[in-house]
Amino acid sequence: MTIARRVLVVDDERFFREAIRDALVGVSPCSLAENGEEALKLAEDPAVEAVVLDMRMPGSSGVDVLKELRKRRPALQVIVLSEPADQSLVLEALRLGASDYLAKPLHDEELRLAVARALSATRLGTRWDLLRGRLLRLREVFAELEDAVRGEALGDRLALLAPRVVQSVAGVLGAARASLLVREGDALRVVALVGGNVALSDLTPVPSAQSLAGLAFGADEVLRIEEVERDERCAGRPRRGQYASGCTLLAPLDVETRPFGVICVADPYLGRPFGAEDASLLAVLAAQIGSLLGGGSPPESETPAAAVAPAQVDLQETQRVELLREVCEAMTREVEPEALLRATLAPIAECFDAVVSVYLADGRSGQLVRAAQCERGSRSDRSRLPRDRGLTGLVAQTGRLVAVVHPESEYRFDPLADTPEDGRPGPLFCLPLTVRGKVLGVARILPPEGMALPARTAEVLVPALSAAVRNALLYRSLVESIEDVARARREAGSQRGR
């Protein structure tokens, strides 16, 4: 059952409480509190997804309430209200983690926009919390699968792994149905199944060209289908019409770089369709299963266009999941933009002994300007990069990941764009940083000579680093808007005083 989200309004003056509630009609229902003690009690309700908090109240101050809210519910978005003269109080609230600031007297439209942003941000924070939990569960799944086949002959591993795989996939992704199919001649045969109302013994192999799973067999990436009945790729496939929701993920399963089968999950029961995060988790899990079935390390995905095949560093799927978890955790520890970005980059720099930098597009100069860097040793990346030159420019313009060990051998190589500060070419891994489909900048990872970052690891880092950039930009924009409002009010006051 879906819980109706609510906004908690905290103000000691009844007039303001009710005025805010009335202004938010159509945006969100509200709960009202006249003091800090009542507010903290009401905030225990998980339906409360945003708080509008007056900073000056008798008894518990707004700062005290904010500190306690941040302790109890870190992902909850808090909008603080204050008088125009209380700029220092507002800045203290922002340092404590407040998400926005509004000056009294309030403007209804400004209030509605701020609350809508806060509700969206809370839901995003909840998604990150969910992702962290799923990453931890994924790590446990890897350990369980490895224990299940330890010491077993390769030929016996499929029978041991198959039932565990479908149960684990369904649990991690919140799917009502999951199945594992393997190649049998020109057909795909279901070897394990959870959910659905068909017995495994009643299923017969289906030619790959005719089955829904055949769409993913031998593919380069997980296929995400939101509605089977309406997706043109599914036309003419006899398996259409067998899904409760029509939403499914199809992951190619390769063993020793050769197509082996397909993992299918369908009918999410978490109240939302499968998203890009679900597809990424399934891709990581499929790579681990392929590794266990082949008896070796998981095969890495092919390097994207404009890249040469690197000599991969030995990074297991469990390490990849742990790295992503550390990046997500670091993102929650800082608020100030540069500190947040540096904290996010630190686990990557340590893992690969690399220089890692984030560059954001600068509209005035047309260049990529370094916003944060985490160094290892004495090396450093450039402070500015051309946005339209070299392999780095290719990433900024197209949003395509570039991974090269010897960038100087690429025809698009530009020494001013594709080398660090010392001008010496070396392994270059450039990731697009995107928000709502728009490339805002790039992240560069420069490992030592002879070390390469696995392409799949780079792919799973893209959404995490993009989220860090989004958070940093939101905070920077908020502080700037507060300073602009304060400046405008001071100027207006000086004009009236003349």
Side-chain angles (χ1 to χ4, degrees), residues 186-201:
D186 293 330
L188 290 171
R189 176 172 61 90
V190 180
V191 296
L193 175 70
V194 64
N197 52 11
V198 181
L200 185 61
S201 57

Side-chain angles (χ1 to χ4, degrees), residues 33-248:
E34 62 178 329
N35 56 54
E37 183 179 354
E38 186 180 1
L40 293 174
K41 184 176 181 180
L42 290 174
E44 294 174 1
D45 184 353
V48 173
E49 294 192 350
V51 178
V52 179
L53 174 65
D54 185 25
M55 294 304 291
R56 291 197 179 275
M57 296 185 296
S60 297
S61 70
V63 170
D64 294 333
V65 176
L66 176 60
K67 287 179 180 178
E68 194 60 32
L69 286 173
R70 295 294 296 165
K71 230 185 265 184
R72 298 184 185 186
R73 295 188 58 184
L76 189 62
Q77 301 291 296
V78 181
I79 302 167
V80 296
L81 308 179
S82 191
E83 299 297 331
D86 290 335
Q87 186 177 4
S88 60
L89 186 62
V90 170
L91 289 175
E92 181 183 0
L94 289 174
R95 293 189 189 99
L96 290 171
S99 62
D100 209 341
Y101 154 72
L102 296 176
K104 290 183 175 182
L106 300 176
H107 298 282
D108 287 356
E109 185 60 23
E110 185 180 13
L111 172 65
R112 285 191 288 266
L113 289 173
V115 168
R117 286 196 303 269
L119 290 171
S120 297
T122 295
R123 298 181 74 182
L124 180 62
T126 302
R127 282 178 61 193
W128 276 112
D129 290 340
L130 176 62
L131 178 59
R132 282 194 292 271
R134 294 165 82 190
L135 288 170
L136 290 173
R137 175 58 188 143
L138 199 58
R139 185 169 58 178
E140 295 172 358
V141 167
F142 290 164
E144 293 167 3
L145 295 178
E146 289 171 353
D147 288 343
V149 299
R150 184 170 288 115
E152 299 291 339
L154 294 181
D156 299 330
R157 291 188 175 188
L158 178 60
L160 289 168
L161 284 176
R164 291 178 170 86
V165 166
V166 293
Q167 290 285 351
S168 299
V169 166
V172 171
L173 297 182
R177 298 180 54 175
S179 58
L180 173 61
L181 300 88
V182 299
R183 180 179 182 178
E184 192 173 88
D186 293 330
L188 290 171
R189 176 172 61 90
V190 180
V191 296
L193 175 70
V194 64
N197 52 11
V198 181
L200 185 61
S201 57
D202 294 336
L203 296 173
T204 58
V206 178
S208 298
Q210 298 178 15
S211 70
L212 196 62
L215 290 169
F217 183 74
D220 295 329
E221 60 184 3
V222 174
L223 299 185
R224 183 159 56 101
I225 300 173
E226 294 189 4
E227 287 194 59
V228 172
E229 297 295 335
R230 297 185 180 182
D231 196 300
E232 294 181 355
R233 296 172 294 181
C234 305
R237 305 271 170 171
R239 297 285 169 163
R240 298 175 79 197
Q242 295 189 8
Y243 300 91
S245 68
C247 184
T248 187

Side-chain angles (χ1 to χ4, degrees), residues 348-400:
I348 305 170
E350 182 177 355
C351 182
F352 298 102
D353 193 28
V355 178
V356 188
S357 305
V358 163
Y359 293 85
L360 299 178
D362 178 44
R364 294 181 179 178
S365 67
Q367 293 184 308
L368 294 168
V369 178
R370 193 176 70 200
Q373 176 175 270
C374 194
E375 309 92 349
R376 301 290 289 180
S378 59
R379 298 186 73 205
S380 179
D381 210 343
R382 297 176 183 267
S383 60
R384 288 176 175 264
L385 298 169
R387 192 178 179 182
D388 56 355
R389 295 169 59 177
L391 298 168
T392 300
L394 177 68
V395 177
Q397 292 176 331
T398 67
R400 293 163 56 190

